[in-house]
Amino acid sequence: MSKISKDALNTINKKTGKNITEGSVRKLASTVKPSTMQNEAELRKLIKQVSTMAKIPVSESTVSEIVSAVKKTGMNPSNMEAMMKMMMKK
């Protein structure tokens, strides 16, 4: 997994008021396989796990938008930072 930028973690922590560590993101990312990004059910599960970790509620419509965007862009499964940034925009 690529290194999570301090800026991304700081932004997430500031917005959520929680302390999400790089280690917790890495732990979650270690469960992600390349097939996760192609399997809609697994991708939805991952998005909900990220949402729970960040304590940011994500509506079903937002989950659907993220799933669609990931499938269209072929997002790299090791880039959790990009997924977290996408969720922060909602």
Side-chain angles (χ1 to χ4, degrees), residues 15-70:
K15 184 165 183 169
T16 64
K18 305 297 178 197
N19 185 26
I20 298 170
T21 65
E22 183 175 347
S24 62
V25 174
R26 284 184 181 278
K27 183 178 177 181
L28 179 59
S30 71
T31 66
V32 179
K33 300 174 187 118
S35 61
T36 302
M37 296 305 190
Q38 300 306 313
N39 180 313
E40 186 167 334
E42 287 296 313
L43 186 53
R44 286 178 177 277
K45 180 179 169 185
L46 175 62
I47 292 165
K48 290 178 183 186
Q49 287 174 318
V50 172
S51 170
T52 299
M53 181 179 69
K55 297 190 179 11
I56 299 172
V58 179
S59 69
E60 280 304 313
S61 64
T62 299
V63 170
S64 294
E65 286 178 34
I66 294 169
V67 167
S68 179
V70 167

